[in-house]
Amino acid sequence: MSLQLTATVDERGVEVDLEIGEGETLAILGPNGAGKSTVLAVAAGLLRPDRGRVVLEGRELTGPGTWVPPHDRRVALLAQEPLLFPHLGVLDNVAFGPRSNGASRRTSHEAARRWLGEVDAADLADRRPRQLSGGQGQRVAVARALAAEPRLLLLDEPLSALDVAVLPALRQTLKRVLAGRTTVLVTHDVLDALLLADRVVVMEDGRVAEAGPTAEVLERPRSAFAARIAGLNMVAGTWRDGAVEGIRGIASEPAPAEGDPVVAVFRPSAVSVFTSSPGGSPRNALAVTVTDLEPRGDQVRVRAGHLAADLTVQAAAELDLVPGARVVFAVKASEVAVYRR
């Protein structure tokens, strides 16, 4: 393993145990306050845990009696804002890392130009940070981080503050430069995880709620947060009499046994909404209270707590849906996937 991190931070209620393979990108997902940024701070040496170890490529950085300061860890942290040195030009900003490691001015500038080229920002070399747009500044920040030749790259929601128009190009840049580089990426965006990460860890309340290959976690979520960002409804409970919390579905193999903890997952588009319990073909019928209505183009997402249904605007109007309305969400058993938690 390239990185092994075990940390307990009592004050923040965080207790995690992570391993990252060499050249792997791990995405950490989770709601605000879940402990994601705390993990990055521990890895970077900005926060000393109450208990735990950080080992990078066999070198102990944090441990009982061991503490390597941030500048000596060969770890680069890139935050939401570029945080470029305002008194330096772009070229000297990127050259800062090599220069700090003892490279000559000429060598560090050569490295800086090479990395600016890698992130499609070579034409920005002679500008000042105040002359850059948000997307340009973040490209320069990526180049500066990589020019220091870090053993570990930490990205703390690097795209969250950018205009939506620049996101696709910068995501492709990151995908290219992160290939083969050991990286931890904190993000709220499912696209970041899908395009950039090999594996995903979902944190909730300071703990790892689930982990696995990115596509698997997002296709078969086992935590409420992962289900939400994947756009799925999820009901967790115990498998009793062929159902979970009264919801029947198609159980994956091997089939759960009586009493197993399981989740039932289904798409909002598979949910029909009625003012009273429907008859006809067998359906799961859930009495709910509408909590919110979200316009989505020619559709409306009807939220009822942690569940959602997608309706046409016309259907929502005909049902006279408003927050507080009592309705029935109905979904066919064939549309519900059930698997062990």
Side-chain angles (χ1 to χ4, degrees):
M1 285 291 141
S2 181
L3 175 69
Q4 296 171 294
L5 185 151
T6 304
T8 300
V9 183
D10 293 330
E11 184 179 1
R12 302 187 184 184
V14 172
E15 186 174 347
V16 295
D17 188 351
L18 301 175
E19 290 188 348
I20 306 173
E22 184 176 354
E24 182 180 51
T25 295
L26 175 75
I28 303 180
L29 307 174
N32 291 333
K36 307 182 298 296
S37 293
T38 297
V39 172
L40 295 192
V42 169
L46 302 176
L47 176 65
R48 191 164 190 167
D50 296 287
R51 294 171 297 283
R53 298 176 73 224
V54 178
V55 179
L56 179 61
E57 296 182 349
R59 181 192 180 200
E60 187 171 78
L61 305 180
T62 299
T66 302
W67 177 255
V68 177
H71 69 270
D72 193 32
R73 293 193 168 212
R74 302 295 300 275
V75 173
L77 173 61
L78 180 63
Q80 297 178 23
E81 300 295 334
L83 301 178
L84 301 175
F85 301 124
H87 63 290
L88 297 178
V90 164
L91 187 66
D92 284 327
N93 260 281
V94 180
F96 182 83
R99 199 83 167 107
S100 299
N101 290 333
S104 68
R105 179 181 176 83
R106 178 179 177 179
T107 300
S108 61
H109 277 186
E110 288 175 350
R113 291 188 187 281
R114 176 167 57 86
W115 281 111
L116 284 170
E118 287 287 338
V119 299
D120 300 323
D123 59 326
L124 306 176
D126 296 327
R127 297 192 190 183
R128 289 280 178 172
R130 65 177 179 275
Q131 298 173 305
L132 304 177
S133 67
Q136 290 171 334
Q138 202 66 313
R139 285 180 184 274
V140 173
V142 172
R144 183 177 64 175
L146 296 177
E149 299 291 347
R151 301 297 187 204
L152 173 66
L153 183 62
L154 306 175
L155 305 177
D156 192 358
E157 300 195 52
L159 306 179
S160 64
L162 300 181
D163 188 275
V164 66
V166 306
L167 290 180
L170 193 48
R171 278 198 186 100
Q172 290 303 316
T173 297
L174 283 175
K175 183 177 181 179
R176 185 177 70 252
V177 299
L178 295 184
R181 187 177 299 276
T182 307
T183 305
V184 181
L185 167 68
V186 165
T187 182
H188 277 97
D189 196 313
V190 65
L191 277 178
D192 292 346
L194 283 170
L195 291 176
L196 303 176
D198 303 297
R199 286 193 303 121
V200 164
V201 163
V202 179
M203 291 187 64
E204 291 183 339
D205 299 322
R207 305 293 189 274
V208 174
E210 61 177 313
T214 304
E216 179 180 313
V217 169
L218 295 176
E219 288 173 6
R220 296 168 62 88
R222 288 171 168 80
S223 67
F225 183 83
R228 187 161 66 250
I229 66 169
L232 299 172
N233 288 315
M234 187 186 82
V235 176
T238 304
W239 187 248
R240 301 286 187 196
D241 298 324
V244 51
E245 302 299 319
I247 297 177
R248 297 186 180 277
I250 306 300
S252 61
E253 295 294 334
E258 192 75 5
D260 277 350
V262 296
V263 294
V265 174
F266 49 98
R267 298 190 176 280
S269 58
V271 180
S272 299
V273 181
F274 300 90
T275 55
S276 59
S277 188
S281 60
R283 301 175 186 236
N284 296 299
L286 308 170
V288 299
T289 301
V290 175
T291 54
D292 196 16
L293 300 171
E294 299 176 5
R296 296 186 169 212
D298 62 349
Q299 290 194 318
V300 175
R301 176 154 291 185
V302 183
R303 293 198 177 276
H306 65 285
L307 299 178
D310 287 341
L311 302 181
T312 64
V313 173
Q314 181 180 355
E318 289 176 353
L319 289 167
D320 195 22
L321 297 178
V322 294
R326 293 286 295 172
V327 296
V328 175
F329 278 8
V331 57
K332 294 179 180 179
S334 59
E335 297 284 352
V336 180
V338 178
Y339 47 88
R340 287 177 176 154
R341 196 168 189 184

